[in-house]
Amino acid sequence: MAYLDQRTLPFETREERARTADDVVDAIRTLAVRGAPCIGVFAAYGVALVRRTLHDDAAFAQAAARIRVARPTAVNLAWAVDRVLASDDMLAEAHAIHREQEQVDAAIATHGLELIPQGARIITHCHTGGLATGGTGTALGVIVAAQRAGKRPRVYVDETRPLLQGARLTMLELQAAGVEALLQVDGAAGAAMAHEEIDLVIVGADRVARNGDTANKIGTYALAILASHHAIPFYVAAPRSSFDPVLQAGQDIAIEQRDAREVTAFRESAAAPESTRVFNPAFDVTPRHLVTAFVTERGVLRPPFPEAIDEVLRVS
Ligand code: MRU
């Protein structure tokens, strides 16, 4: 199975191949394939691939279970793997998940348009574009749709530490779409809100609990607090597959802790003294009271979120 290695973009377009369950797990863990919906689509194809090559049922079940937990926070991963495992034709189901994601992204973009004023100044965090979903993206899809609708947004792009998903990938996709975009360090978001007349923040999600608490890339929580302080709307764009039907609240969401070297080194060069200890959660949880609305393929959800989320999960 061929896939695009997101780690080398935009400097090098590198196509890799996954042949085994280990390859699939490795691609997900190393962030060669990343972004919650994209992880789901990739894992779905990965499980279908492994089924064709591993004929022993017990070995296959074990391999699928390993893929299912390759990363702990994005619920799309387990959701997609479970869907494929429950189907008679795994490859057809993987194709269906991919096709649905394209439709879901288009619907999110359409619904999100109503939240973007003419000439809006927007902050976004991490990367939520087509490369992160397999379609046209979630939060970034809304922004690009606003550009296509002639709203001429200006986007302040958080570089997103520690892997620079914003600097590398969000900037790449916004530039390709002709959207005016300024790259900023994550720590500049407060200054942008204070001095740059920011109208709204829009981000993606890795997992939304039943009550609306939302896990997303580390730094999202701080951004939501800043937005609340400045009375700026804070929107989360996410497909139904990012809503966890089981977990009631954000405190139950497993947060991935990643390698210290992502923080102590920059592209192989040391960036901190050798014995530096590190706190490196990949995600944080934004409590629901800081979220103004969710943009889903079913429409815009406003508080009270538990009821609105129940409804979205019920009709799926
Ligand atoms: O660690 P990553 O790069 O996979 O984290 C990605 C994010 O936090 C995204 O905001 C989220 O997955 C939504 S992608 C549409």
Side-chain angles (χ1 to χ4, degrees):
M1 173 173 64
Y3 66 88
L4 187 62
D5 186 339
Q6 294 190 35
R7 293 170 302 178
T8 56
L9 292 170
F11 313 108
E12 190 192 332
T13 304
R14 191 188 287 170
E15 196 179 283
E16 297 287 354
R17 224 155 248 286
R19 294 183 176 81
T20 64
D22 282 346
D23 292 346
V24 174
V25 169
D26 195 55
I28 294 172
R29 285 217 177 117
T30 59
L31 307 189
V33 175
R34 52 146 298 281
C38 183
I39 292 170
V41 170
F42 180 70
Y45 281 117
V47 169
L49 165 90
V50 172
R51 177 71 282 191
R52 288 184 169 201
T53 51
L54 262 187
H55 301 297
D56 177 69
D57 283 347
F60 167 69
Q62 221 179 43
R66 277 193 296 118
I67 293 173
R68 191 179 185 277
V69 297
R71 291 185 81 190
T73 305
V75 70
N76 312 62
L77 174 57
W79 169 85
V81 168
D82 290 346
R83 256 187 77 168
V84 169
L85 287 177
S87 77
D88 293 332
D89 184 339
M90 295 193 181
L91 185 58
E93 190 66 13
H95 282 314
I97 289 171
H98 189 186
R99 270 196 311 272
E100 283 169 31
Q101 188 63 47
E102 291 169 344
Q103 291 159 4
V104 158
D105 283 5
I108 287 175
T110 304
H111 291 303
L113 259 187
E114 71 182 66
L115 304 174
I116 313 292
Q118 187 68 32
R121 294 185 170 200
I122 303 173
I123 294 182
T124 194
H125 190 68
C126 197
H127 167 258
T128 57
L131 286 164
T133 67
T136 49
T138 56
L140 218 58
V142 172
I143 293 170
V144 170
Q147 172 73 9
R148 297 222 167 105
K151 294 192 175 191
R152 301 173 64 92
R154 173 195 276 194
V155 187
Y156 293 71
V157 177
D158 280 357
E159 62 177 354
T160 312
R161 291 290 296 150
L163 287 190
L164 302 181
Q165 286 94 325
R168 295 184 298 104
L169 305 172
T170 302
M171 287 305 298
L172 175 70
E173 289 196 24
L174 287 178
Q175 285 176 356
V179 178
E180 184 186 0
L182 285 78
L183 181 62
Q184 63 185 14
V185 299
D186 294 4
M193 289 182 197
H195 305 298
E196 294 289 304
E197 296 170 28
I198 300 298
D199 295 292
L200 63 107
V201 176
I202 187 163
V203 297
D206 283 80
R207 188 185 297 240
V208 183
R210 294 294 292 245
N211 70 349
D213 293 347
T214 298
N216 191 50
K217 176 54 54 190
I218 190 71
T220 303
Y221 173 41
L223 198 54
I225 291 174
L226 283 170
S228 167
H229 179 78
H230 290 275
I232 292 168
F234 184 90
Y235 300 120
V236 175
R240 182 242 162 268
S241 55
S242 296
F243 288 75
D244 190 321
V246 177
L247 293 190
Q248 296 299 324
Q251 76 229 24
D252 301 325
I253 299 174
I255 298 295
E256 175 185 10
Q257 297 284 333
R258 292 188 60 86
D259 197 297
R261 278 169 301 187
E262 288 181 352
V263 183
T264 58
F266 185 73
R267 291 197 188 283
E268 311 293 314
S269 302
E274 214 168 276
S275 57
T276 299
R277 293 172 63 220
V278 164
F279 174 58
N280 187 22
F283 303 96
D284 55 29
V285 175
T286 298
R288 61 177 165 167
H289 70 270
L290 296 175
V291 178
T292 309
F294 291 93
V295 189
T296 76
E297 65 268 41
R298 308 258 176 212
V300 175
L301 314 185
R302 300 215 178 245
F305 291 133
E307 288 80 348
I309 290 170
D310 275 358
E311 183 63 25
V312 165
L313 291 173
R314 209 177 7 252
V315 292
S316 297

